[in-house]
Amino acid sequence: MFQSSANAARIIWLAALAGLPFLSYADEIREEAWSAHFQTTYIWEVKPSLSAPYTGEFSLRPEREKAYSFSATAALGFRPWAGGELYFDPELVQGVPLSNLRGLGGMANGEQQKTGGPNPTLYRARLFLRQTWGLGGEKEAVESDFNQMAGMVDKRRIVVTAGNLSVTDIFDNSAYAHDARTQFMNWALLAYGAYDFAADARGYSWGAAVEYIYDDWAVRGGRFMQPAESNGLPLDKRIFTHYGDQLEVEHGHTWGGQPGKVHVLAFRNRANMGSFRDASVDAANNGGVPDVARVRTERTKIGFGVSAEQGLTSDIGVFARASWNDGASETYAFTEIERSFSAGAVVRGGAWNRVDDTLGIAWVRNGLSQAHRDYLAAGGVGAFIGDGRLNYRPESIVEAYYSFKLAQAVTLSLDAQHIVNPAYNADRGPVNVGSIRLHAQY
């Protein structure tokens, strides 16, 4: 959801999309010795009642619901030595989710956490070190932003990031669909839907990543800790036994005078996970409903994602993502999606004389493996879904938002989501979720 070490190029790209000038080699900017940025986001949601001939323990509730989330984050950084950057992000969260954060593959609010609650909780979100070694070539400017200090960097460089952070700070970084605080809100639009990336219940982990950046190309790989239990808060510190590995290749290009990027990512997770097939066999042999918790053992999950994004004009950009994982074992750290495709467009308001406003619209189609479908149809439940039975259809989501700039650092967004076949069940829904988001960042 936040900025990453790859964002030097992204800042220039976003400036180009907005039609703003960006800094070139000839316009070198002064290197920051320290930085401090702050954000706060409040999201209010409402869900009308939905058609539901039956409701299970992990279903989206059929009655009308209201929900909210609140977060406040500080991003504090300084340079301890040449090429080094140290960051510390304390974060405060509070919220009440729709249906106790159950009943959807693509959850409607990316700010909601699995451990969220009505009482404010303060914790350390990030504490990490980034080290950059320049390899020559041209220079490019990096502007001051969240977890990013202003300065000049070589376009050919090696970057090592290690510590406590989010995997998606570095991997699967989209200019248009990555941050629920300012862009699309649905979980399936924050990252590859099928990317079960290593994270605790708040979305953070400990680990390290290495990036090799050579002009328009970037190759990055990393290993991060898995939660000690499926979707739990404590992390498993045995990072050489249980881990999440990922490898990504990125290429930037110019098409029609506008910037674009292509990403290809592969991931491999190792953890103590339950198999859907084994759970179904266990239930058939011993009675009852299948339960992945009864058949957990050492397992590996693999998956991949491909994405592309492209500026069409200085005000319009489009994007698409496709992802898949093997779907053999339970969701361990992200959400219950095993096949996903999304596409969308983002338009800045220059055409209607509101240059700081943004309109976004996207479509998502999520799916499950056959083993997972059979498990749910037999009454099994997962981390987030389980209606007691299943009339399977892919889950489809349309989301649109309009973001108004209220002041220099404050935006107000209106967001609407229409979700067909919630939790992949054609017997329930569709459901509509409307949201109001107030965001301030300094």
Side-chain angles (χ1 to χ4, degrees):
M1 298 192 288
F2 301 95
Q3 307 298 328
S4 76
S5 57
N7 275 359
R10 181 171 177 253
I11 291 295
I12 294 174
W13 187 2
L14 289 174
L17 176 64
L20 301 173
F22 59 83
L23 298 170
S24 68
Y25 179 49
D27 301 316
E28 289 193 12
I29 62 176
R30 183 176 179 179
E31 184 175 272
E32 284 184 315
W34 62 274
S35 68
H37 293 275
F38 306 90
Q39 79 82 31
T40 184
T41 305
Y42 178 82
I43 297 174
W44 179 85
E45 302 172 273
V46 62
K47 173 186 72 65
S49 60
L50 66 140
S51 173
Y54 52 88
T55 297
E57 179 186 1
F58 279 51
S59 293
L60 195 67
R61 304 304 303 171
E63 64 270 15
R64 183 178 186 270
E65 291 185 282
K66 293 185 291 185
Y68 75 95
S69 65
F70 169 78
S71 69
T73 313
L76 311 174
F78 80 99
R79 295 186 190 272
W81 52 74
E85 303 165 58
L86 182 64
Y87 294 96
F88 169 57
D89 293 11
E91 190 162 72
L92 177 75
V93 298
Q94 180 181 352
V96 174
L98 295 173
S99 301
N100 199 28
L101 205 62
R102 293 173 177 172
L104 292 170
M107 297 293 179
N109 181 357
E111 276 280 86
Q112 290 284 8
Q113 297 183 350
K114 301 167 190 175
T115 58
N119 298 318
T121 302
L122 178 65
Y123 58 89
R124 181 197 65 246
R126 294 174 177 81
L127 178 61
F128 68 92
L129 175 68
R130 179 186 300 135
Q131 179 66 46
T132 302
W133 292 275
L135 301 177
E138 296 182 4
K139 296 277 189 180
E140 62 185 0
V142 177
E143 295 187 345
S144 185
D145 208 334
F146 254 62
N147 299 313
Q148 179 173 281
M149 283 184 279
M152 302 298 295
V153 296
D154 291 352
K155 293 186 71 174
R156 301 173 184 176
R157 60 191 183 273
I158 294 174
V159 182
V160 174
T161 306
N164 179 198
L165 67 157
S166 172
V167 172
T168 56
D169 289 348
I170 299 173
F171 297 88
D172 188 21
N173 197 351
S174 168
Y176 306 116
H178 191 63
D179 187 351
R181 294 169 177 173
T182 59
Q183 300 171 329
F184 296 99
M185 290 170 46
N186 194 281
W187 285 27
L189 288 164
L190 302 184
Y192 293 115
Y195 184 16
D196 197 9
F197 58 89
D200 64 18
R202 294 186 178 122
Y204 304 103
S205 184
W206 283 83
V210 179
E211 302 175 80
Y212 175 64
I213 300 166
Y214 192 93
D215 297 332
D216 293 331
W217 288 91
V219 179
R220 53 184 66 97
R223 170 169 288 193
F224 291 83
M225 292 180 183
Q226 292 281 13
E229 296 182 354
S230 173
N231 292 282
L233 186 57
L235 290 169
D236 188 339
K237 297 179 176 58
R238 297 171 294 170
I239 196 169
F240 296 105
T241 303
H242 297 147
Y243 49 81
D245 287 342
Q246 39 273 305
L247 178 67
E248 182 178 52
V249 178
E250 171 191 302
H251 183 254
H253 61 268
T254 300
W255 179 71
Q258 299 297 325
K261 282 189 180 179
V262 176
H263 298 86
V264 178
L265 178 141
F267 72 92
R268 179 179 185 268
N269 296 340
R270 185 71 178 170
N272 191 39
M273 298 181 281
S275 158
F276 296 120
R277 288 287 187 220
D278 288 355
S280 297
V281 170
D282 175 72
N285 292 336
N286 300 297
V289 298
D291 183 357
V292 289
R294 293 205 304 256
V295 294
R296 285 177 177 148
T297 187
E298 296 290 323
R299 299 186 190 278
T300 297
K301 177 184 290 187
I302 60 171
F304 66 85
V306 179
S307 68
E309 46 194 44
Q310 179 65 51
L312 301 182
T313 71
S314 60
D315 286 328
I316 302 173
V318 295
F319 68 92
R321 280 189 179 109
S323 57
W324 173 95
N325 72 52
D326 59 36
S329 52
E330 64 184 305
T331 298
Y332 211 72
F334 188 36
T335 192
E336 303 217 37
I337 300 172
E338 290 147 0
R339 292 93 173 89
S340 184
F341 177 80
S342 61
V346 175
V347 183
R348 295 188 182 274
W352 53 94
N353 298 318
R354 295 281 302 179
V355 294
D356 294 317
D357 289 1
T358 305
L359 170 67
I361 186 166
W363 173 78
V364 183
R365 188 175 178 88
N366 298 324
L368 298 177
S369 68
Q370 187 63 54
H372 199 168
R373 300 179 206 176
D374 295 342
Y375 173 83
L376 294 172
V381 299
F384 304 104
I385 61 176
D387 295 327
R389 61 183 100 162
L390 182 68
N391 179 11
Y392 178 79
R393 296 290 188 282
E395 181 183 79
S396 295
I397 303 164
V398 176
E399 179 177 359
Y401 73 90
Y402 189 93
S403 179
F404 304 83
K405 184 174 182 179
L406 299 182
Q408 183 61 33
V410 181
T411 59
L412 175 69
S413 302
L414 304 179
D415 185 280
Q417 298 180 51
H418 179 68
I419 304 170
V420 180
N421 306 324
Y424 313 96
N425 198 339
D427 290 343
R428 308 182 82 251
V431 61
N432 297 305
V433 179
S435 303
I436 299 173
R437 174 178 61 198
L438 185 64
H439 172 76
Q441 183 167 318
Y442 306 90

